[in-house]
Amino acid sequence: MKYPIKIIVVLSILILFLISASIISVTAKDKYKKINRKIRNTSIFARLLVKICNINIISDIKKLKNDNANLFVSNHLSYLDILCIAAVIPVSFISTKEVEHSPLLGLFAKAAGSIFIERRNKKKLLSDIEQIKNILNANLNLHLFPEGTTTKGQMLPFKSSFFKLAENSTINIKNICIKYTKINDKPVNSANGDLVFYYGDMTFWRHFFNFLKIKKLNIELLYAGELKNLRGRKEIAIKSYNQIKTIYNQ
């Protein structure tokens, strides 16, 4: 597909996605049914975009997609992570209030059925955690990026505050390692990595249109292990980080 046509097709799909999400917001009255319908709607559009953008997802986590009420955790390299994960597993993403208040990313995050938390306010965080636990109890999957930001291909330490929701609980944590491996059949490196990695003061639309110039992208979503019945959030953060980091370095 030629670049100008690709832009038109992708933007049209994004607009249709926002319209369909708006319809769900109006027609679904029950809170959890609304979230469920939004994340499944997101998964449908994500698979469509992945196909149009010729993103080849190599994954061993597809077997987990019907394994409900889990907290999926992964490293975070780009907004493309969200697209690819949603294409494989219908899941609600846990994000921050900063993203919610972002004019553009916040719009798409809300349409995708994301859950927003205030990690910097301990009192508010505790309230948000109860909301998250209720979503898990409603048999819906959640996904967390505990680095709190995207990076230029490296892994940052996981912020333990995000794991407060799993502290002293029976929540199952399933870790996923995200690796971008090839761009146009060439290994991802310092020369071409900025076509997929999204970090620092990069602007979304400029990065996104440059990404659309890519003819083929290979990404791996690899199951890194499970954690359960752990007590302290710091212990959970370290063990989750180590499981993913081990796979990422291979």
Side-chain angles (χ1 to χ4, degrees), residues 71-75 144 146 155 158 163 173-176 224-227 230 233-246:
L71 176 64
F72 294 95
V73 173
S74 74
N75 56 314
L144 173 66
M155 278 186 63
F158 288 176
F163 290 97
I173 297 176
K174 294 191 174 178
N175 294 308
I176 300 171
E226 183 175 1
L227 296 174
L230 298 177
R233 58 185 174 85
K234 292 185 178 180
E235 177 191 8
I236 299 171
I238 292 172
K239 288 190 174 184
S240 179
Y241 174 87
N242 287 338
Q243 282 190 352
I244 296 172
K245 182 73 171 179
T246 298

PDB file of all heavy atoms in Angstrom, residues 71-75 144 146 155 158 163 173-176 224-227 230 233-246:
ATOM      1  N   LEU A  71      -3.655  -9.811  35.803  1.00  0.00           N
ATOM      2  CA  LEU A  71      -2.982  -8.538  35.610  1.00  0.00           C
ATOM      3  C   LEU A  71      -1.749  -8.796  34.761  1.00  0.00           C
ATOM      4  O   LEU A  71      -0.798  -9.430  35.214  1.00  0.00           O
ATOM      5  CB  LEU A  71      -2.585  -7.925  36.957  1.00  0.00           C
ATOM      6  CG  LEU A  71      -1.777  -6.629  36.888  1.00  0.00           C
ATOM      7  CD1 LEU A  71      -2.591  -5.515  36.242  1.00  0.00           C
ATOM      8  CD2 LEU A  71      -1.308  -6.212  38.276  1.00  0.00           C
ATOM      9  N   PHE A  72      -1.775  -8.337  33.510  1.00  0.00           N
ATOM     10  CA  PHE A  72      -0.623  -8.475  32.628  1.00  0.00           C
ATOM     11  C   PHE A  72       0.310  -7.292  32.828  1.00  0.00           C
ATOM     12  O   PHE A  72      -0.135  -6.149  32.955  1.00  0.00           O
ATOM     13  CB  PHE A  72      -1.069  -8.557  31.166  1.00  0.00           C
ATOM     14  CG  PHE A  72      -1.855  -9.799  30.842  1.00  0.00           C
ATOM     15  CD1 PHE A  72      -3.240  -9.780  30.862  1.00  0.00           C
ATOM     16  CD2 PHE A  72      -1.202 -10.982  30.528  1.00  0.00           C
ATOM     17  CE1 PHE A  72      -3.965 -10.927  30.569  1.00  0.00           C
ATOM     18  CE2 PHE A  72      -1.918 -12.133  30.236  1.00  0.00           C
ATOM     19  CZ  PHE A  72      -3.297 -12.104  30.258  1.00  0.00           C
ATOM     20  N   VAL A  73       1.603  -7.576  32.849  1.00  0.00           N
ATOM     21  CA  VAL A  73       2.617  -6.546  33.087  1.00  0.00           C
ATOM     22  C   VAL A  73       3.677  -6.653  32.000  1.00  0.00           C
ATOM     23  O   VAL A  73       4.079  -7.756  31.623  1.00  0.00           O
ATOM     24  CB  VAL A  73       3.270  -6.730  34.478  1.00  0.00           C
ATOM     25  CG1 VAL A  73       4.441  -5.788  34.661  1.00  0.00           C
ATOM     26  CG2 VAL A  73       2.242  -6.522  35.578  1.00  0.00           C
ATOM     27  N   SER A  74       4.150  -5.519  31.481  1.00  0.00           N
ATOM     28  CA  SER A  74       5.208  -5.570  30.473  1.00  0.00           C
ATOM     29  C   SER A  74       6.077  -4.326  30.516  1.00  0.00           C
ATOM     30  O   SER A  74       5.726  -3.322  31.153  1.00  0.00           O
ATOM     31  CB  SER A  74       4.612  -5.729  29.068  1.00  0.00           C
ATOM     32  OG  SER A  74       4.028  -4.519  28.638  1.00  0.00           O
ATOM     33  N   ASN A  75       7.201  -4.407  29.829  1.00  0.00           N
ATOM     34  CA  ASN A  75       8.021  -3.228  29.586  1.00  0.00           C
ATOM     35  C   ASN A  75       7.306  -2.341  28.576  1.00  0.00           C
ATOM     36  O   ASN A  75       6.317  -2.745  27.956  1.00  0.00           O
ATOM     37  CB  ASN A  75       9.422  -3.630  29.095  1.00  0.00           C
ATOM     38  CG  ASN A  75       9.375  -4.519  27.854  1.00  0.00           C
ATOM     39  OD1 ASN A  75       8.600  -5.473  27.772  1.00  0.00           O
ATOM     40  ND2 ASN A  75      10.220  -4.211  26.887  1.00  0.00           N
ATOM     41  N   LEU A 144      -0.664  -3.477  32.729  1.00  0.00           N
ATOM     42  CA  LEU A 144       0.075  -2.410  33.398  1.00  0.00           C
ATOM     43  C   LEU A 144       1.471  -2.249  32.799  1.00  0.00           C
ATOM     44  O   LEU A 144       2.164  -3.236  32.546  1.00  0.00           O
ATOM     45  CB  LEU A 144       0.194  -2.748  34.897  1.00  0.00           C
ATOM     46  CG  LEU A 144       1.057  -1.852  35.772  1.00  0.00           C
ATOM     47  CD1 LEU A 144       0.449  -0.457  35.882  1.00  0.00           C
ATOM     48  CD2 LEU A 144       1.204  -2.478  37.163  1.00  0.00           C
ATOM     49  N   PRO A 146       4.572  -0.735  34.274  1.00  0.00           N
ATOM     50  CA  PRO A 146       5.068  -0.169  35.541  1.00  0.00           C
ATOM     51  C   PRO A 146       6.295   0.728  35.431  1.00  0.00           C
ATOM     52  O   PRO A 146       6.709   1.311  36.437  1.00  0.00           O
ATOM     53  CB  PRO A 146       5.377  -1.416  36.377  1.00  0.00           C
ATOM     54  CG  PRO A 146       5.633  -2.483  35.384  1.00  0.00           C
ATOM     55  CD  PRO A 146       4.749  -2.186  34.220  1.00  0.00           C
ATOM     56  N   MET A 155      15.238  -0.894  29.383  1.00  0.00           N
ATOM     57  CA  MET A 155      14.247  -1.094  30.434  1.00  0.00           C
ATOM     58  C   MET A 155      14.599  -0.261  31.648  1.00  0.00           C
ATOM     59  O   MET A 155      15.744  -0.273  32.104  1.00  0.00           O
ATOM     60  CB  MET A 155      14.151  -2.573  30.821  1.00  0.00           C
ATOM     61  CG  MET A 155      13.275  -3.400  29.895  1.00  0.00           C
ATOM     62  SD  MET A 155      13.055  -5.106  30.489  1.00  0.00           S
ATOM     63  CE  MET A 155      12.198  -4.813  32.061  1.00  0.00           C
ATOM     64  N   PHE A 158      10.990  -0.806  37.534  1.00  0.00           N
ATOM     65  CA  PHE A 158       9.551  -0.710  37.693  1.00  0.00           C
ATOM     66  C   PHE A 158       9.212   0.097  38.944  1.00  0.00           C
ATOM     67  O   PHE A 158       9.811  -0.109  40.001  1.00  0.00           O
ATOM     68  CB  PHE A 158       8.922  -2.101  37.799  1.00  0.00           C
ATOM     69  CG  PHE A 158       8.910  -2.862  36.491  1.00  0.00           C
ATOM     70  CD1 PHE A 158       8.455  -4.171  36.461  1.00  0.00           C
ATOM     71  CD2 PHE A 158       9.348  -2.284  35.313  1.00  0.00           C
ATOM     72  CE1 PHE A 158       8.434  -4.884  35.266  1.00  0.00           C
ATOM     73  CE2 PHE A 158       9.333  -2.979  34.117  1.00  0.00           C
ATOM     74  CZ  PHE A 158       8.872  -4.290  34.094  1.00  0.00           C
ATOM     75  N   PHE A 163       2.299  -1.436  41.881  1.00  0.00           N
ATOM     76  CA  PHE A 163       2.003  -2.798  42.335  1.00  0.00           C
ATOM     77  C   PHE A 163       1.278  -2.826  43.686  1.00  0.00           C
ATOM     78  O   PHE A 163       1.097  -3.897  44.255  1.00  0.00           O
ATOM     79  CB  PHE A 163       3.292  -3.613  42.409  1.00  0.00           C
ATOM     80  CG  PHE A 163       3.872  -3.934  41.061  1.00  0.00           C
ATOM     81  CD1 PHE A 163       4.882  -3.151  40.527  1.00  0.00           C
ATOM     82  CD2 PHE A 163       3.399  -4.992  40.313  1.00  0.00           C
ATOM     83  CE1 PHE A 163       5.429  -3.436  39.280  1.00  0.00           C
ATOM     84  CE2 PHE A 163       3.924  -5.280  39.063  1.00  0.00           C
ATOM     85  CZ  PHE A 163       4.937  -4.502  38.552  1.00  0.00           C
ATOM     86  N   ILE A 173      -0.302 -12.209  38.417  1.00  0.00           N
ATOM     87  CA  ILE A 173       0.446 -11.316  37.543  1.00  0.00           C
ATOM     88  C   ILE A 173       1.127 -12.152  36.471  1.00  0.00           C
ATOM     89  O   ILE A 173       1.883 -13.068  36.781  1.00  0.00           O
ATOM     90  CB  ILE A 173       1.497 -10.515  38.328  1.00  0.00           C
ATOM     91  CG1 ILE A 173       0.811  -9.605  39.349  1.00  0.00           C
ATOM     92  CG2 ILE A 173       2.370  -9.696  37.382  1.00  0.00           C
ATOM     93  CD1 ILE A 173       1.780  -8.846  40.220  1.00  0.00           C
ATOM     94  N   LYS A 174       0.868 -11.823  35.220  1.00  0.00           N
ATOM     95  CA  LYS A 174       1.505 -12.531  34.110  1.00  0.00           C
ATOM     96  C   LYS A 174       2.356 -11.532  33.339  1.00  0.00           C
ATOM     97  O   LYS A 174       1.843 -10.539  32.807  1.00  0.00           O
ATOM     98  CB  LYS A 174       0.464 -13.208  33.226  1.00  0.00           C
ATOM     99  CG  LYS A 174      -0.244 -14.323  33.996  1.00  0.00           C
ATOM    100  CD  LYS A 174      -1.081 -15.212  33.137  1.00  0.00           C
ATOM    101  CE  LYS A 174      -1.620 -16.380  33.973  1.00  0.00           C
ATOM    102  NZ  LYS A 174      -2.483 -17.276  33.199  1.00  0.00           N
ATOM    103  N   ASN A 175       3.648 -11.781  33.313  1.00  0.00           N
ATOM    104  CA  ASN A 175       4.609 -10.855  32.734  1.00  0.00           C
ATOM    105  C   ASN A 175       4.832 -11.107  31.249  1.00  0.00           C
ATOM    106  O   ASN A 175       4.962 -12.256  30.821  1.00  0.00           O
ATOM    107  CB  ASN A 175       5.930 -10.940  33.492  1.00  0.00           C
ATOM    108  CG  ASN A 175       5.793 -10.458  34.921  1.00  0.00           C
ATOM    109  OD1 ASN A 175       5.298  -9.372  35.171  1.00  0.00           O
ATOM    110  ND2 ASN A 175       6.228 -11.283  35.874  1.00  0.00           N
ATOM    111  N   ILE A 176       4.907 -10.024  30.485  1.00  0.00           N
ATOM    112  CA  ILE A 176       5.103 -10.086  29.042  1.00  0.00           C
ATOM    113  C   ILE A 176       6.318  -9.246  28.663  1.00  0.00           C
ATOM    114  O   ILE A 176       6.438  -8.095  29.101  1.00  0.00           O
ATOM    115  CB  ILE A 176       3.868  -9.557  28.289  1.00  0.00           C
ATOM    116  CG1 ILE A 176       2.629 -10.388  28.629  1.00  0.00           C
ATOM    117  CG2 ILE A 176       4.108  -9.554  26.781  1.00  0.00           C
ATOM    118  CD1 ILE A 176       1.339  -9.795  28.107  1.00  0.00           C
ATOM    119  N   ALA A 224       6.806 -14.099  29.986  1.00  0.00           N
ATOM    120  CA  ALA A 224       8.023 -14.093  30.809  1.00  0.00           C
ATOM    121  C   ALA A 224       7.854 -14.772  32.156  1.00  0.00           C
ATOM    122  O   ALA A 224       8.832 -14.933  32.888  1.00  0.00           O
ATOM    123  CB  ALA A 224       8.498 -12.655  31.017  1.00  0.00           C
ATOM    124  N   GLY A 225       6.646 -15.172  32.497  1.00  0.00           N
ATOM    125  CA  GLY A 225       6.454 -15.861  33.767  1.00  0.00           C
ATOM    126  C   GLY A 225       5.297 -15.294  34.565  1.00  0.00           C
ATOM    127  O   GLY A 225       4.721 -14.255  34.236  1.00  0.00           O
ATOM    128  N   GLU A 226       4.965 -15.971  35.640  1.00  0.00           N
ATOM    129  CA  GLU A 226       3.809 -15.627  36.470  1.00  0.00           C
ATOM    130  C   GLU A 226       4.239 -15.363  37.909  1.00  0.00           C
ATOM    131  O   GLU A 226       5.185 -15.971  38.412  1.00  0.00           O
ATOM    132  CB  GLU A 226       2.787 -16.761  36.427  1.00  0.00           C
ATOM    133  CG  GLU A 226       1.503 -16.490  37.191  1.00  0.00           C
ATOM    134  CD  GLU A 226       0.473 -17.602  37.028  1.00  0.00           C
ATOM    135  OE1 GLU A 226       0.782 -18.585  36.320  1.00  0.00           O
ATOM    136  OE2 GLU A 226      -0.615 -17.497  37.592  1.00  0.00           O
ATOM    137  N   LEU A 227       3.537 -14.450  38.556  1.00  0.00           N
ATOM    138  CA  LEU A 227       3.753 -14.161  39.971  1.00  0.00           C
ATOM    139  C   LEU A 227       2.410 -14.197  40.685  1.00  0.00           C
ATOM    140  O   LEU A 227       1.419 -13.671  40.186  1.00  0.00           O
ATOM    141  CB  LEU A 227       4.388 -12.777  40.159  1.00  0.00           C
ATOM    142  CG  LEU A 227       5.793 -12.544  39.593  1.00  0.00           C
ATOM    143  CD1 LEU A 227       6.174 -11.082  39.749  1.00  0.00           C
ATOM    144  CD2 LEU A 227       6.813 -13.435  40.287  1.00  0.00           C
ATOM    145  N   LEU A 230       2.249 -12.924  46.462  1.00  0.00           N
ATOM    146  CA  LEU A 230       3.373 -12.158  47.007  1.00  0.00           C
ATOM    147  C   LEU A 230       2.832 -11.052  47.908  1.00  0.00           C
ATOM    148  O   LEU A 230       1.737 -10.538  47.692  1.00  0.00           O
ATOM    149  CB  LEU A 230       4.211 -11.560  45.875  1.00  0.00           C
ATOM    150  CG  LEU A 230       4.856 -12.585  44.927  1.00  0.00           C
ATOM    151  CD1 LEU A 230       5.608 -11.862  43.810  1.00  0.00           C
ATOM    152  CD2 LEU A 230       5.807 -13.492  45.682  1.00  0.00           C
ATOM    153  N   ARG A 233       4.811  -4.810  47.703  1.00  0.00           N
ATOM    154  CA  ARG A 233       4.823  -4.234  46.360  1.00  0.00           C
ATOM    155  C   ARG A 233       6.235  -4.105  45.797  1.00  0.00           C
ATOM    156  O   ARG A 233       6.446  -4.266  44.594  1.00  0.00           O
ATOM    157  CB  ARG A 233       4.120  -2.879  46.353  1.00  0.00           C
ATOM    158  CG  ARG A 233       4.706  -1.849  47.296  1.00  0.00           C
ATOM    159  CD  ARG A 233       3.865  -0.579  47.318  1.00  0.00           C
ATOM    160  NE  ARG A 233       4.333   0.367  48.315  1.00  0.00           N
ATOM    161  CZ  ARG A 233       5.299   1.251  48.120  1.00  0.00           C
ATOM    162  NH1 ARG A 233       5.904   1.303  46.947  1.00  0.00           N
ATOM    163  NH2 ARG A 233       5.662   2.090  49.073  1.00  0.00           N
ATOM    164  N   LYS A 234       7.211  -3.831  46.653  1.00  0.00           N
ATOM    165  CA  LYS A 234       8.587  -3.699  46.176  1.00  0.00           C
ATOM    166  C   LYS A 234       9.130  -5.051  45.716  1.00  0.00           C
ATOM    167  O   LYS A 234       9.835  -5.142  44.712  1.00  0.00           O
ATOM    168  CB  LYS A 234       9.473  -3.106  47.276  1.00  0.00           C
ATOM    169  CG  LYS A 234       9.150  -1.653  47.589  1.00  0.00           C
ATOM    170  CD  LYS A 234      10.119  -1.059  48.600  1.00  0.00           C
ATOM    171  CE  LYS A 234       9.794   0.408  48.854  1.00  0.00           C
ATOM    172  NZ  LYS A 234      10.721   1.016  49.838  1.00  0.00           N
ATOM    173  N   GLU A 235       8.768  -6.097  46.452  1.00  0.00           N
ATOM    174  CA  GLU A 235       9.176  -7.446  46.049  1.00  0.00           C
ATOM    175  C   GLU A 235       8.551  -7.813  44.712  1.00  0.00           C
ATOM    176  O   GLU A 235       9.218  -8.374  43.830  1.00  0.00           O
ATOM    177  CB  GLU A 235       8.755  -8.458  47.116  1.00  0.00           C
ATOM    178  CG  GLU A 235       9.075  -9.899  46.745  1.00  0.00           C
ATOM    179  CD  GLU A 235       8.421 -10.914  47.684  1.00  0.00           C
ATOM    180  OE1 GLU A 235       7.605 -10.506  48.531  1.00  0.00           O
ATOM    181  OE2 GLU A 235       8.730 -12.115  47.542  1.00  0.00           O
ATOM    182  N   ILE A 236       7.275  -7.473  44.551  1.00  0.00           N
ATOM    183  CA  ILE A 236       6.564  -7.780  43.309  1.00  0.00           C
ATOM    184  C   ILE A 236       7.211  -7.039  42.139  1.00  0.00           C
ATOM    185  O   ILE A 236       7.446  -7.610  41.070  1.00  0.00           O
ATOM    186  CB  ILE A 236       5.075  -7.402  43.419  1.00  0.00           C
ATOM    187  CG1 ILE A 236       4.408  -8.200  44.545  1.00  0.00           C
ATOM    188  CG2 ILE A 236       4.355  -7.669  42.093  1.00  0.00           C
ATOM    189  CD1 ILE A 236       3.002  -7.735  44.873  1.00  0.00           C
ATOM    190  N   ALA A 237       7.502  -5.756  42.348  1.00  0.00           N
ATOM    191  CA  ALA A 237       8.096  -4.931  41.283  1.00  0.00           C
ATOM    192  C   ALA A 237       9.444  -5.489  40.834  1.00  0.00           C
ATOM    193  O   ALA A 237       9.724  -5.586  39.634  1.00  0.00           O
ATOM    194  CB  ALA A 237       8.257  -3.495  41.766  1.00  0.00           C
ATOM    195  N   ILE A 238      10.273  -5.876  41.787  1.00  0.00           N
ATOM    196  CA  ILE A 238      11.607  -6.402  41.469  1.00  0.00           C
ATOM    197  C   ILE A 238      11.512  -7.735  40.730  1.00  0.00           C
ATOM    198  O   ILE A 238      12.194  -7.954  39.718  1.00  0.00           O
ATOM    199  CB  ILE A 238      12.446  -6.552  42.752  1.00  0.00           C
ATOM    200  CG1 ILE A 238      12.776  -5.166  43.317  1.00  0.00           C
ATOM    201  CG2 ILE A 238      13.731  -7.322  42.470  1.00  0.00           C
ATOM    202  CD1 ILE A 238      13.431  -5.201  44.680  1.00  0.00           C
ATOM    203  N   LYS A 239      10.663  -8.633  41.211  1.00  0.00           N
ATOM    204  CA  LYS A 239      10.551  -9.951  40.590  1.00  0.00           C
ATOM    205  C   LYS A 239       9.932  -9.861  39.197  1.00  0.00           C
ATOM    206  O   LYS A 239      10.348 -10.577  38.272  1.00  0.00           O
ATOM    207  CB  LYS A 239       9.728 -10.890  41.485  1.00  0.00           C
ATOM    208  CG  LYS A 239      10.488 -11.307  42.747  1.00  0.00           C
ATOM    209  CD  LYS A 239       9.771 -12.411  43.495  1.00  0.00           C
ATOM    210  CE  LYS A 239      10.634 -12.898  44.667  1.00  0.00           C
ATOM    211  NZ  LYS A 239      10.016 -14.036  45.380  1.00  0.00           N
ATOM    212  N   SER A 240       8.953  -8.978  39.039  1.00  0.00           N
ATOM    213  CA  SER A 240       8.345  -8.784  37.731  1.00  0.00           C
ATOM    214  C   SER A 240       9.375  -8.223  36.753  1.00  0.00           C
ATOM    215  O   SER A 240       9.501  -8.707  35.612  1.00  0.00           O
ATOM    216  CB  SER A 240       7.158  -7.817  37.843  1.00  0.00           C
ATOM    217  OG  SER A 240       6.564  -7.601  36.593  1.00  0.00           O
ATOM    218  N   TYR A 241      10.122  -7.235  37.196  1.00  0.00           N
ATOM    219  CA  TYR A 241      11.170  -6.630  36.364  1.00  0.00           C
ATOM    220  C   TYR A 241      12.205  -7.672  35.948  1.00  0.00           C
ATOM    221  O   TYR A 241      12.587  -7.755  34.777  1.00  0.00           O
ATOM    222  CB  TYR A 241      11.850  -5.496  37.138  1.00  0.00           C
ATOM    223  CG  TYR A 241      13.037  -4.880  36.435  1.00  0.00           C
ATOM    224  CD1 TYR A 241      12.864  -3.832  35.534  1.00  0.00           C
ATOM    225  CD2 TYR A 241      14.330  -5.348  36.662  1.00  0.00           C
ATOM    226  CE1 TYR A 241      13.948  -3.266  34.876  1.00  0.00           C
ATOM    227  CE2 TYR A 241      15.419  -4.786  36.008  1.00  0.00           C
ATOM    228  CZ  TYR A 241      15.223  -3.745  35.118  1.00  0.00           C
ATOM    229  OH  TYR A 241      16.302  -3.189  34.473  1.00  0.00           O
ATOM    230  N   ASN A 242      12.640  -8.476  36.892  1.00  0.00           N
ATOM    231  CA  ASN A 242      13.688  -9.463  36.605  1.00  0.00           C
ATOM    232  C   ASN A 242      13.217 -10.527  35.615  1.00  0.00           C
ATOM    233  O   ASN A 242      13.984 -10.958  34.735  1.00  0.00           O
ATOM    234  CB  ASN A 242      14.156 -10.123  37.899  1.00  0.00           C
ATOM    235  CG  ASN A 242      15.009  -9.189  38.750  1.00  0.00           C
ATOM    236  OD1 ASN A 242      15.583  -8.227  38.242  1.00  0.00           O
ATOM    237  ND2 ASN A 242      15.079  -9.457  40.039  1.00  0.00           N
ATOM    238  N   GLN A 243      11.962 -10.960  35.739  1.00  0.00           N
ATOM    239  CA  GLN A 243      11.455 -11.952  34.793  1.00  0.00           C
ATOM    240  C   GLN A 243      11.436 -11.407  33.368  1.00  0.00           C
ATOM    241  O   GLN A 243      11.852 -12.090  32.422  1.00  0.00           O
ATOM    242  CB  GLN A 243      10.017 -12.378  35.200  1.00  0.00           C
ATOM    243  CG  GLN A 243       9.976 -13.364  36.353  1.00  0.00           C
ATOM    244  CD  GLN A 243       8.583 -13.945  36.553  1.00  0.00           C
ATOM    245  OE1 GLN A 243       7.602 -13.509  35.924  1.00  0.00           O
ATOM    246  NE2 GLN A 243       8.468 -14.928  37.431  1.00  0.00           N
ATOM    247  N   ILE A 244      10.973 -10.164  33.221  1.00  0.00           N
ATOM    248  CA  ILE A 244      10.899  -9.573  31.886  1.00  0.00           C
ATOM    249  C   ILE A 244      12.287  -9.232  31.359  1.00  0.00           C
ATOM    250  O   ILE A 244      12.594  -9.458  30.182  1.00  0.00           O
ATOM    251  CB  ILE A 244       9.999  -8.309  31.918  1.00  0.00           C
ATOM    252  CG1 ILE A 244       8.558  -8.700  32.272  1.00  0.00           C
ATOM    253  CG2 ILE A 244      10.040  -7.568  30.572  1.00  0.00           C
ATOM    254  CD1 ILE A 244       7.634  -7.527  32.506  1.00  0.00           C
ATOM    255  N   LYS A 245      13.142  -8.703  32.216  1.00  0.00           N
ATOM    256  CA  LYS A 245      14.488  -8.312  31.813  1.00  0.00           C
ATOM    257  C   LYS A 245      15.287  -9.518  31.310  1.00  0.00           C
ATOM    258  O   LYS A 245      16.061  -9.414  30.345  1.00  0.00           O
ATOM    259  CB  LYS A 245      15.223  -7.687  33.007  1.00  0.00           C
ATOM    260  CG  LYS A 245      16.640  -7.190  32.716  1.00  0.00           C
ATOM    261  CD  LYS A 245      16.638  -5.929  31.887  1.00  0.00           C
ATOM    262  CE  LYS A 245      18.027  -5.333  31.807  1.00  0.00           C
ATOM    263  NZ  LYS A 245      18.063  -4.108  30.978  1.00  0.00           N
ATOM    264  N   THR A 246      15.104 -10.666  31.951  1.00  0.00           N
ATOM    265  CA  THR A 246      15.794 -11.882  31.537  1.00  0.00           C
ATOM    266  C   THR A 246      15.463 -12.239  30.092  1.00  0.00           C
ATOM    267  O   THR A 246      16.355 -12.572  29.295  1.00  0.00           O
ATOM    268  CB  THR A 246      15.426 -13.052  32.461  1.00  0.00           C
ATOM    269  OG1 THR A 246      15.844 -12.751  33.804  1.00  0.00           O
ATOM    270  CG2 THR A 246      16.099 -14.338  32.012  1.00  0.00           C
TER     271      THR A 246
END
